[in-house]
PDB file of all heavy atoms in Angstrom:
ATOM      1  N   SER A1282      71.603 -62.570 108.948  1.00 83.00           N
ATOM      2  CA  SER A1282      72.652 -63.204 109.727  1.00 83.00           C
ATOM      3  C   SER A1282      73.980 -62.435 109.749  1.00 83.00           C
ATOM      4  O   SER A1282      74.850 -62.656 110.551  1.00 83.00           O
ATOM      5  CB  SER A1282      72.900 -64.651 109.206  1.00 83.00           C
ATOM      6  OG  SER A1282      73.075 -64.588 107.770  1.00 83.00           O
ATOM      7  N   ASP A1283      74.175 -61.618 108.667  1.00 86.00           N
ATOM      8  CA  ASP A1283      75.415 -60.820 108.601  1.00 86.00           C
ATOM      9  C   ASP A1283      75.322 -59.411 109.202  1.00 86.00           C
ATOM     10  O   ASP A1283      76.254 -58.693 109.320  1.00 86.00           O
ATOM     11  CB  ASP A1283      75.808 -60.619 107.055  1.00 86.00           C
ATOM     12  CG  ASP A1283      76.168 -61.994 106.452  1.00 86.00           C
ATOM     13  OD1 ASP A1283      76.624 -62.871 107.158  1.00 86.00           O
ATOM     14  OD2 ASP A1283      76.020 -62.018 105.190  1.00 86.00           O
ATOM     15  N   ALA A1284      74.046 -59.056 109.583  1.00 84.00           N
ATOM     16  CA  ALA A1284      73.803 -57.677 110.056  1.00 84.00           C
ATOM     17  C   ALA A1284      74.331 -57.596 111.563  1.00 84.00           C
ATOM     18  O   ALA A1284      74.147 -58.496 112.298  1.00 84.00           O
ATOM     19  CB  ALA A1284      72.342 -57.367 110.073  1.00 84.00           C
ATOM     20  N   LYS A1285      74.975 -56.475 111.815  1.00 83.00           N
ATOM     21  CA  LYS A1285      75.591 -56.222 113.124  1.00 83.00           C
ATOM     22  C   LYS A1285      74.586 -55.363 113.996  1.00 83.00           C
ATOM     23  O   LYS A1285      74.044 -54.437 113.462  1.00 83.00           O
ATOM     24  CB  LYS A1285      76.967 -55.495 112.976  1.00 83.00           C
ATOM     25  CG  LYS A1285      77.904 -56.260 112.053  1.00 83.00           C
ATOM     26  CD  LYS A1285      78.261 -57.632 112.618  1.00 83.00           C
ATOM     27  CE  LYS A1285      79.329 -58.308 111.659  1.00 83.00           C
ATOM     28  NZ  LYS A1285      79.526 -59.726 112.176  1.00 83.00           N
ATOM     29  N   GLY A1286      74.529 -55.712 115.240  1.00 83.00           N
ATOM     30  CA  GLY A1286      73.829 -54.861 116.235  1.00 83.00           C
ATOM     31  C   GLY A1286      72.404 -55.092 116.196  1.00 83.00           C
ATOM     32  O   GLY A1286      71.674 -54.231 116.927  1.00 83.00           O
ATOM     33  N   LEU A1287      71.772 -55.970 115.493  1.00 88.00           N
ATOM     34  CA  LEU A1287      70.308 -56.161 115.465  1.00 88.00           C
ATOM     35  C   LEU A1287      69.915 -57.213 116.573  1.00 88.00           C
ATOM     36  O   LEU A1287      70.662 -58.230 116.712  1.00 88.00           O
ATOM     37  CB  LEU A1287      69.812 -56.646 114.184  1.00 88.00           C
ATOM     38  CG  LEU A1287      69.830 -55.609 112.964  1.00 88.00           C
ATOM     39  CD1 LEU A1287      69.273 -56.286 111.720  1.00 88.00           C
ATOM     40  CD2 LEU A1287      68.980 -54.451 113.316  1.00 88.00           C
ATOM     41  N   VAL A1288      68.818 -56.931 117.214  1.00 92.00           N
ATOM     42  CA  VAL A1288      68.317 -57.995 118.089  1.00 92.00           C
ATOM     43  C   VAL A1288      67.877 -59.107 117.278  1.00 92.00           C
ATOM     44  O   VAL A1288      67.429 -59.079 116.147  1.00 92.00           O
ATOM     45  CB  VAL A1288      67.126 -57.319 118.853  1.00 92.00           C
ATOM     46  CG1 VAL A1288      66.371 -58.387 119.662  1.00 92.00           C
ATOM     47  CG2 VAL A1288      67.487 -56.185 119.818  1.00 92.00           C
ATOM     48  N   LYS A1289      68.020 -60.348 117.870  1.00 92.00           N
ATOM     49  CA  LYS A1289      67.683 -61.591 117.144  1.00 92.00           C
ATOM     50  C   LYS A1289      66.250 -61.558 116.663  1.00 92.00           C
ATOM     51  O   LYS A1289      65.332 -61.309 117.466  1.00 92.00           O
ATOM     52  CB  LYS A1289      67.991 -62.822 118.004  1.00 92.00           C
ATOM     53  CG  LYS A1289      67.934 -64.080 117.271  1.00 92.00           C
ATOM     54  CD  LYS A1289      68.359 -65.287 118.197  1.00 92.00           C
ATOM     55  CE  LYS A1289      68.426 -66.614 117.372  1.00 92.00           C
ATOM     56  NZ  LYS A1289      68.809 -67.788 118.231  1.00 92.00           N
ATOM     57  N   ARG A1290      66.112 -61.978 115.480  1.00 93.00           N
ATOM     58  CA  ARG A1290      64.762 -62.004 114.880  1.00 93.00           C
ATOM     59  C   ARG A1290      64.606 -63.390 114.137  1.00 93.00           C
ATOM     60  O   ARG A1290      65.542 -63.944 113.731  1.00 93.00           O
ATOM     61  CB  ARG A1290      64.599 -60.913 113.776  1.00 93.00           C
ATOM     62  CG  ARG A1290      64.534 -59.474 114.277  1.00 93.00           C
ATOM     63  CD  ARG A1290      64.869 -58.514 113.233  1.00 93.00           C
ATOM     64  NE  ARG A1290      64.520 -57.204 113.435  1.00 93.00           N
ATOM     65  CZ  ARG A1290      65.100 -56.265 114.206  1.00 93.00           C
ATOM     66  NH1 ARG A1290      66.222 -56.647 114.884  1.00 93.00           N
ATOM     67  NH2 ARG A1290      64.705 -55.160 114.270  1.00 93.00           N
ATOM     68  N   PRO A1291      63.346 -63.831 113.923  1.00 94.00           N
ATOM     69  CA  PRO A1291      63.077 -65.001 113.185  1.00 94.00           C
ATOM     70  C   PRO A1291      63.428 -64.834 111.747  1.00 94.00           C
ATOM     71  O   PRO A1291      63.012 -63.725 111.173  1.00 94.00           O
ATOM     72  CB  PRO A1291      61.694 -65.377 113.481  1.00 94.00           C
ATOM     73  CG  PRO A1291      61.054 -64.059 113.792  1.00 94.00           C
ATOM     74  CD  PRO A1291      62.087 -63.263 114.505  1.00 94.00           C
ATOM     75  N   LEU A1292      64.027 -65.776 111.110  1.00 95.00           N
ATOM     76  CA  LEU A1292      64.201 -65.778 109.618  1.00 95.00           C
ATOM     77  C   LEU A1292      62.955 -65.931 108.843  1.00 95.00           C
ATOM     78  O   LEU A1292      62.677 -65.374 107.814  1.00 95.00           O
ATOM     79  CB  LEU A1292      65.318 -66.626 109.179  1.00 95.00           C
ATOM     80  CG  LEU A1292      66.727 -66.464 109.694  1.00 95.00           C
ATOM     81  CD1 LEU A1292      67.642 -67.512 109.214  1.00 95.00           C
ATOM     82  CD2 LEU A1292      67.200 -65.046 109.259  1.00 95.00           C
ATOM     83  N   GLU A1293      62.073 -66.852 109.429  1.00 96.00           N
ATOM     84  CA  GLU A1293      60.850 -67.250 108.725  1.00 96.00           C
ATOM     85  C   GLU A1293      59.680 -66.655 109.584  1.00 96.00           C
ATOM     86  O   GLU A1293      59.425 -67.173 110.689  1.00 96.00           O
ATOM     87  CB  GLU A1293      60.803 -68.798 108.722  1.00 96.00           C
ATOM     88  CG  GLU A1293      59.617 -69.342 107.891  1.00 96.00           C
ATOM     89  CD  GLU A1293      59.687 -68.942 106.432  1.00 96.00           C
ATOM     90  OE1 GLU A1293      60.596 -69.409 105.699  1.00 96.00           O
ATOM     91  OE2 GLU A1293      58.787 -68.251 106.028  1.00 96.00           O
ATOM     92  N   MET A1294      59.039 -65.746 109.058  1.00 97.00           N
ATOM     93  CA  MET A1294      57.892 -65.140 109.732  1.00 97.00           C
ATOM     94  C   MET A1294      56.508 -65.342 109.038  1.00 97.00           C
ATOM     95  O   MET A1294      55.493 -64.854 109.421  1.00 97.00           O
ATOM     96  CB  MET A1294      58.013 -63.602 109.881  1.00 97.00           C
ATOM     97  CG  MET A1294      59.259 -63.199 110.670  1.00 97.00           C
ATOM     98  SD  MET A1294      59.374 -61.414 110.978  1.00 97.00           S
ATOM     99  CE  MET A1294      59.533 -60.820 109.344  1.00 97.00           C
ATOM    100  N   SER A1295      56.629 -66.160 108.010  1.00 98.00           N
ATOM    101  CA  SER A1295      55.456 -66.501 107.152  1.00 98.00           C
ATOM    102  C   SER A1295      54.348 -67.170 107.962  1.00 98.00           C
ATOM    103  O   SER A1295      54.694 -68.087 108.739  1.00 98.00           O
ATOM    104  CB  SER A1295      55.770 -67.192 105.902  1.00 98.00           C
ATOM    105  OG  SER A1295      56.357 -68.548 106.207  1.00 98.00           O
ATOM    106  N   LEU A1296      53.127 -66.815 107.841  1.00 98.00           N
ATOM    107  CA  LEU A1296      52.015 -67.439 108.463  1.00 98.00           C
ATOM    108  C   LEU A1296      51.011 -67.980 107.468  1.00 98.00           C
ATOM    109  O   LEU A1296      50.834 -67.439 106.363  1.00 98.00           O
ATOM    110  CB  LEU A1296      51.288 -66.343 109.368  1.00 98.00           C
ATOM    111  CG  LEU A1296      52.109 -65.577 110.410  1.00 98.00           C
ATOM    112  CD1 LEU A1296      51.218 -64.620 111.067  1.00 98.00           C
ATOM    113  CD2 LEU A1296      52.683 -66.621 111.419  1.00 98.00           C
ATOM    114  N   SER A1297      50.356 -69.060 107.828  1.00 97.00           N
ATOM    115  CA  SER A1297      49.269 -69.627 107.019  1.00 97.00           C
ATOM    116  C   SER A1297      47.972 -68.921 107.399  1.00 97.00           C
ATOM    117  O   SER A1297      47.625 -68.724 108.540  1.00 97.00           O
ATOM    118  CB  SER A1297      49.116 -71.057 107.342  1.00 97.00           C
ATOM    119  OG  SER A1297      47.891 -71.566 106.799  1.00 97.00           O
TER     120      SER A1297
END
Side-chain angles (χ1 to χ4, degrees):
S1282 52
D1283 296 333
K1285 306 297 183 185
L1287 287 181
V1288 172
K1289 189 174 184 180
R1290 292 158 161 79
L1292 296 178
E1293 186 65 67
M1294 298 186 297
S1295 63
L1296 302 177
S1297 168

